Amino acid sequence: AQTVRACMGCSSWRRKHRSARRPPGCPRWLVRAPIPRLRWDDPLVDDFLRRGEPCILTGGCPLVSSLLGRWDFEYLSRQFGDTQLSVHFVRRGVTRFARHYGSGLGEGGVQPMSFSGFLRTISDEGLLDAPGSSAHHKDARIPGLWRYYLQAPLLWYDESVENLEGEIHGPCRRPPASADLDADLSSIGWAWLQRACETARALPFKTCQLWAGHGG
């Protein structure tokens, strides 16, 4: 999703400034055309992996196909329980989360919150009804002064244990959560991801994080 937003931003910039140079730090291939959509098992996907260029995978990619239709805010609230997670916040007029805050750094902050607390907070702010959210309707009230997103580690390598084979299913840690969430994480297509990393000649899997936001 981040890659798509970056592409859309660069493409939009290009349309408004056709005679200008591309934005600083934006690679040439990212502004020349829309991100292509391919079935996850299309042989062309390997070519994109080898070139390090993005494409949108369709048709039920095994990486997360088992989670589609299962993970929503209510479900994750039940699975994480009282576990404290990092919730970032900025004023609504700020267009991006800096994720590093303090004097001379980005505007905003971060605070610990349970997933249910995050859900309650954005609901109280009217953000679940904001334009762009799945729950938006014509009578929704104007969103509040703040924007939020939650960032939670789901799986990460225990770097204190050496894994000479570099296998994705090696020693991992995960935050306190429910047995259902553990089963969900085990159902992810790790073998597909390992093959994709090898095709792209990328570093092996290190960490998997959940980023939860809202429309508007």
Side-chain angles (χ1 to χ4, degrees):
Q2 283 186 307
T3 302
V4 174
R5 286 199 297 270
C7 169
M8 292 174 63
C10 292
S11 297
S12 176
W13 183 93
R14 186 63 169 238
R15 285 194 296 271
K16 294 177 181 177
H17 307 275
R18 291 188 182 278
S19 61
R21 299 175 62 187
R22 65 184 185 276
C26 194
R28 188 179 304 278
W29 51 260
L30 194 55
V31 298
R32 73 184 180 202
I35 300 295
R37 301 173 67 89
L38 299 170
R39 267 193 58 90
W40 67 271
D41 54 355
D42 190 317
L44 290 176
V45 171
D46 285 356
D47 293 336
F48 280 86
L49 288 170
R50 294 186 185 100
R51 294 196 303 268
E53 297 185 10
C55 64
I56 299 170
L57 302 182
T58 65
C61 176
L63 182 62
V64 292
S65 59
S66 63
L67 307 181
L68 295 179
R70 288 172 52 83
W71 281 23
D72 57 24
F73 282 3
E74 290 75 16
Y75 177 82
L76 292 171
S77 293
R78 295 193 301 271
Q79 307 314 317
F80 277 105
D82 296 328
T83 300
Q84 297 294 290
L85 307 168
S86 296
V87 174
H88 298 251
F89 60 89
V90 295
R91 292 189 178 275
R92 285 203 62 77
V94 178
T95 58
R96 66 175 59 187
F97 291 89
R99 295 195 295 153
H100 299 280
Y101 311 105
S103 178
L105 301 176
E107 180 179 346
V110 60
Q111 65 184 86
M113 197 180 295
S114 66
F115 204 107
S116 58
F118 166 70
L119 178 57
R120 188 165 51 251
T121 297
I122 62 175
S123 178
D124 290 346
E125 287 278 333
L127 293 169
L128 290 181
D129 291 328
S133 72
S134 59
H136 177 59
H137 54 80
K138 64 179 181 178
D139 297 322
R141 67 185 178 90
I142 298 174
L145 297 176
W146 302 95
R147 300 171 62 227
Y148 302 85
Y149 94 88
L150 176 147
Q151 184 173 339
L154 294 177
L155 274 176
W156 62 94
Y157 263 122
D158 183 352
E159 296 187 358
S160 65
V161 180
E162 187 174 13
N163 183 10
L164 297 178
E165 292 79 19
E167 296 176 346
I168 287 174
H169 53 75
C172 282
R173 292 185 177 181
R174 58 187 69 187
S178 70
D180 285 343
L181 188 60
D182 284 346
D184 287 346
L185 295 174
S186 297
S187 73
I188 289 175
W190 298 113
W192 182 91
L193 178 59
Q194 182 168 2
R195 179 190 173 280
C197 289
E198 292 171 351
T199 301
R201 296 182 179 179
L203 294 174
F205 170 81
K206 289 291 185 180
T207 183
C208 174
Q209 297 193 34
L210 170 69
W211 289 15
H214 50 77

